[in-house]
Amino acid sequence: MISRSGISVLRQARTQLRTAGPTPVASLSALARLLSSLAVLEQKDGKLNQGSLGAITAAKKLGGSITGFVAGGNIKGVAEEASKVSGIEKVVSVDNSAYDKQLPENYAPLLVENIKKGGYTHIIMGHTAFGKSLMPRVAALLDVQQISDITAIEDEKTFVRPIYAGNAIATVESSDDIKIITIRGTAFAAAEAEGGSASMEHGADPKAESTTEWVSENLAKSDRPDLATAGKVVSGGRGLKSKEEFDRIMLPLADALGAAVGASRAAVDSGYADNSLQVGQTGKVVAPQLYLCAGISGAIQHLAGMKDSKVIAAINKDADAPIFQVADVGLVGDLFDKVPELTEKLNK
Amino acid sequence: MSGLRILVPVKRVIDYAVKPRVNKAQTAVETAGVKHSMNPFDELSIEESVRIREKKTYPSGVEDILAFSCGPPKSADILRTAMAMGADRSIHVEVKEGDEPEPLGVAKMLKAVVEKEKINLVFLGKQSIDDDAGQTGQMLAGLLGWGQATQASKVTFDGDGKGVTVEKEVDGGTETVKGVLPMIITADLRLNEPRYASLPNIMKAKKKKIEKMAARDLGVDVGRRLKTLKVIEPPPRQGGGKVEDVDGMIAKLKELGAI
């Protein structure tokens, strides 16, 4: 094991030397550090997405130097924000509004160009909608097999990721020279936004055209906490019976707890709640301090999205529902009575 | 302007309702004797392709719907299902059970098929429910240099037969993008409701052609880049038992420090 990892370290050192090109100083520091990670950070409307800072936390676990990457129009403010993040050494930014709409067709060539220029060994990004659409394209362009949605890092080439809707945990070792990784946000907390003082650099801009253009977006507006990062989540299922009841029963409970609102696939499919609220294998994966669900039976696909929650509480009238096998606190009863009573008592 | 030539890759996976078990040697998930079916997202891709044909939503129609699968001999069953749902023919790249290529390898095979069969639209599922990687469509788009729209919940074609407008599921809501053919689209759950294959269609599907080939016939190296060192069961959660009433629930949540 030791000798094998030694060989790989040597190989990486050689790769570094090769790609470092005409700057001997850079290659010396590369030798001293071997590992160099690029954390791809997301921004929207000139604001750094704090959730994307988990990539820096993952990079810290790897060791080695950490560079942040941001792109978009008027990116200076975002780059400055990123440069203050703790643990980051350098921020590479590309100022071009063509990258604002997060289109993988032009963003992937942009990233590839900067990866080649920087000679990074690890490229890390959140397993978000953008990360999911972008990174496999980047990986293919670099002829690398991506490692998706990792939950832990064992060493520079060994990663842990859930498969089969979280029913199995695989440890995989990558033989690629560049590791392209997306991380599960709930497994890597965002790095602190303060304390860093990274240098700033302009990245390369290949200005690739995108055959696809952005038309519009329709984002659910809410004053409640963001589902993916909320400390508390209340979630409703088919048992709510209608959208009116969902809103009448679940929203006051969410407000009483200061929680985000989630839903099962059944509730979403029936139109009780918006698609973006779906928790599960194909929706959001959440791991809050408290996950309180009502009218959810606990299908495998739903459990995949919430079973790493610290405390799970469930209200269901079926005492044999699978949700009770994972719930820390279970209450058998009619949610139309129990949830309003709970809301009222929490408000006191 | 020619008709659509659609490629739909499908994967045989453990049925979504089965709880997977890790084998004793902790090398993989037990697949022997376990019910398998078509990856649910791939059903949506087939369904959508067939609907484009039936509803004539593409101006010059659908010329061909080609299903593709790379997997063990039994993957042929999945291809029959795809053809019973309306695919015209299939390609089966046969590999040994447990020897399925990684997404990059599959994407390379698909690229070869796209070029050979003059495909102008590839409809994939957004992820397979076994590996949960969610990469193949995007990788294929990258290899071909085509536009991509992932997690599609609605697909419409322009009257000129070039533009494709796709509504995508993204974090926090939906986003609409417009691409041009040829293109890669991956299906999200909300795209449609797949049909059940009727008995007459299942019978008809038996006469449709499955072309068998090997990865090397496509001139593709599908060597693995990732080595699975270990597969384990996740730590089981201890159900904490039940409480009698709402007061009991609040007390327990307080005790656990959750509120």
Side-chain angles (χ1 to χ4, degrees):
Chain A
M1 201 64 201
I2 290 165
S3 67
R4 224 176 35 189
S5 67
I7 289 166
S8 126
V9 162
L10 268 177
R11 198 185 59 206
Q12 277 175 358
R14 278 201 298 270
T15 315
Q16 284 287 306
L17 278 171
R18 247 199 332 268
T19 50
T23 48
V25 181
S27 65
L28 275 178
S29 77
L31 254 183
R33 298 224 152 180
L34 305 171
L35 263 172
S36 92
S37 300
L38 184 72
V40 184
L41 307 177
E42 297 184 45
Q43 63 98 16
K44 192 167 165 64
D45 304 329
K47 273 210 170 126
L48 188 64
N49 176 346
Q50 298 297 317
S52 68
L53 300 182
I56 292 170
T57 308
K60 280 187 194 166
K61 295 209 167 142
L62 281 163
S65 71
I66 304 172
T67 303
F69 182 85
V70 287
N74 291 320
I75 201 69
K76 197 156 171 274
V78 179
E80 274 168 9
E81 218 183 321
S83 71
K84 298 193 182 90
V85 176
S86 126
I88 201 162
E89 280 176 25
K90 190 163 74 179
V91 173
V92 172
S93 64
V94 174
D95 194 333
N96 184 342
S97 58
Y99 304 117
D100 276 339
K101 296 306 182 189
Q102 308 189 327
L103 295 167
E105 289 86 349
N106 62 7
Y107 210 112
L110 166 73
L111 210 45
V112 167
E113 188 100 352
N114 283 284
I115 291 166
K116 285 185 174 160
K117 189 180 162 205
Y120 307 101
T121 56
H122 292 71
I123 320 301
I124 313 170
M125 189 175 185
H127 196 63
T128 57
F130 184 37
K132 283 190 261 190
S133 83
L134 172 68
M135 289 294 255
R137 194 171 174 116
V138 171
L141 293 174
L142 293 168
D143 195 28
V144 168
Q145 174 52 53
Q146 182 188 325
I147 310 142
S148 289
D149 203 20
I150 66 161
T151 51
I153 292 170
E154 290 204 344
D155 60 39
E156 87 274 1
K157 59 184 189 323
T158 315
F159 308 94
V160 178
R161 58 180 301 263
I163 53 175
Y164 289 90
N167 281 290
I169 311 293
T171 305
V172 296
E173 184 185 279
S174 165
S175 60
D176 282 315
D177 287 337
I178 301 177
K179 318 284 192 273
I180 303 236
I181 302 158
T182 58
I183 55 160
R184 179 169 288 201
T186 56
F188 299 91
E192 282 166 54
E194 296 294 329
S197 56
S199 63
M200 312 252 263
E201 196 178 279
H202 290 291
D205 188 356
K207 296 194 170 73
E209 293 286 322
S210 175
T211 52
T212 305
E213 57 178 310
W214 185 90
V215 178
S216 63
E217 67 186 1
N218 182 12
L219 300 183
K221 298 247 184 307
S222 168
D223 298 332
R224 296 190 181 84
D226 175 51
L227 178 58
T229 54
K232 291 171 188 163
V233 172
V234 301
S235 198
R238 197 197 302 271
L240 269 309
K241 300 231 164 49
S242 71
K243 175 164 175 40
E244 292 67 37
E245 293 293 281
F246 190 99
D247 291 351
R248 185 177 70 86
I249 303 273
M250 298 308 293
L251 301 188
L253 177 63
D255 293 337
L257 285 164
V261 178
S264 71
R265 183 186 166 198
V268 170
D269 279 354
S270 309
Y272 305 172
D274 191 77
N275 295 346
S276 59
L277 301 186
Q278 187 183 327
V279 171
Q281 181 183 18
T282 69
K284 292 257 178 3
V285 175
V286 302
Q289 287 292 311
L290 170 64
Y291 188 83
L292 204 171
C293 59
I296 289 179
S297 63
I300 295 173
Q301 291 75 20
H302 187 75
L303 299 183
M306 46 65 86
K307 68 181 175 184
D308 292 328
S309 305
K310 188 113 190 302
V311 174
I312 297 173
I315 299 177
N316 203 303
K317 64 181 174 190
D318 175 10
D320 297 323
I323 191 75
F324 287 125
Q325 288 163 22
V326 300
D328 302 287
V329 192
L331 176 59
V332 180
D334 186 347
L335 68 91
F336 293 103
D337 298 334
K338 302 297 179 191
V339 176
E341 185 187 343
L342 179 62
T343 305
E344 190 185 319
K345 286 182 171 161
L346 285 170
N347 275 331
K348 268 183 194 162
Chain B
M1 183 171 75
S2 57
L4 282 181
R5 296 180 59 81
I6 310 177
L7 173 64
V8 187
V10 296
K11 187 177 183 185
R12 176 179 177 266
V13 298
I14 292 182
D15 189 85
Y16 73 94
V18 175
K19 186 174 161 61
R21 300 275 172 207
V22 171
N23 66 14
K24 282 215 179 69
Q26 297 198 327
T27 54
V29 161
E30 199 63 70
T31 53
V34 177
K35 186 186 175 194
H36 282 67
S37 40
M38 191 192 296
N39 181 42
F41 293 102
D42 303 342
E43 290 185 354
L44 302 162
S45 315
I46 293 276
E47 177 66 34
E48 195 66 17
S49 308
V50 176
R51 283 188 193 190
I52 296 169
R53 167 179 281 160
E54 288 173 349
K55 297 190 173 169
K56 302 184 169 61
T57 47
Y58 184 72
S60 39
V62 175
E63 236 174 67
D64 191 19
I65 301 175
L66 171 60
F68 169 98
S69 195
C70 174
K74 280 181 179 164
S75 297
D77 300 349
I78 302 304
L79 290 169
R80 292 278 170 219
T81 308
M83 293 189 293
M85 288 174 73
D88 299 311
R89 60 196 179 101
S90 302
I91 290 178
H92 182 188
V93 175
E94 214 172 282
V95 295
K96 274 200 311 231
E97 179 98 40
D99 220 12
E100 292 89 349
E102 292 161 342
L104 183 64
V106 175
K108 287 178 179 174
M109 285 192 266
L110 291 172
K111 176 175 185 265
V113 172
V114 162
E115 285 164 354
K116 185 165 165 268
E117 303 285 347
K118 300 189 169 50
I119 299 296
N120 52 14
L121 177 63
V122 188
F123 234 120
L124 305 92
K126 75 162 177 176
Q127 75 192 67
S128 66
I129 60 164
D130 51 359
D131 190 45
D132 282 336
Q135 301 171 358
T136 310
Q138 298 88 306
M139 285 183 157
L140 177 60
L143 293 177
L144 288 165
W146 290 7
Q148 67 179 63
T150 48
Q151 305 189 198
S153 56
K154 195 177 173 198
V155 178
T156 46
F157 295 94
D158 286 0
D160 66 3
K162 280 210 175 112
V164 193
T165 303
V166 183
E167 191 175 294
K168 305 164 51 183
E169 303 273 340
V170 295
D171 301 336
T174 60
E175 183 182 280
T176 303
V177 295
K178 188 169 171 181
V180 288
L181 290 173
M183 197 166 165
I184 307 287
I185 302 177
T186 74
D188 208 325
L189 271 183
R190 236 76 52 192
L191 184 62
N192 59 46
E193 189 90 27
R195 70 193 62 195
Y196 288 102
S198 66
L199 188 59
N201 284 339
I202 292 172
M203 300 311 287
K204 268 187 227 158
K206 290 189 176 170
K207 296 206 180 83
K208 292 181 180 173
K209 197 174 159 222
I210 298 184
E211 189 184 343
K212 281 208 174 57
M213 55 176 75
R216 63 176 178 280
D217 298 334
L218 293 166
V220 174
D221 169 23
V222 294
R224 296 184 79 83
R225 311 288 185 82
L226 301 181
K227 187 167 137 200
T228 302
L229 303 180
K230 188 172 63 175
V231 177
I232 56 166
E233 303 253 355
R237 272 195 91 98
Q238 298 290 332
K242 290 169 183 146
V243 292
E244 285 302 311
D245 51 21
V246 169
D247 291 325
M249 178 170 255
I250 292 173
K252 187 83 184 282
L253 289 178
K254 280 193 175 143
E255 183 193 318
L256 293 168
I259 54 172

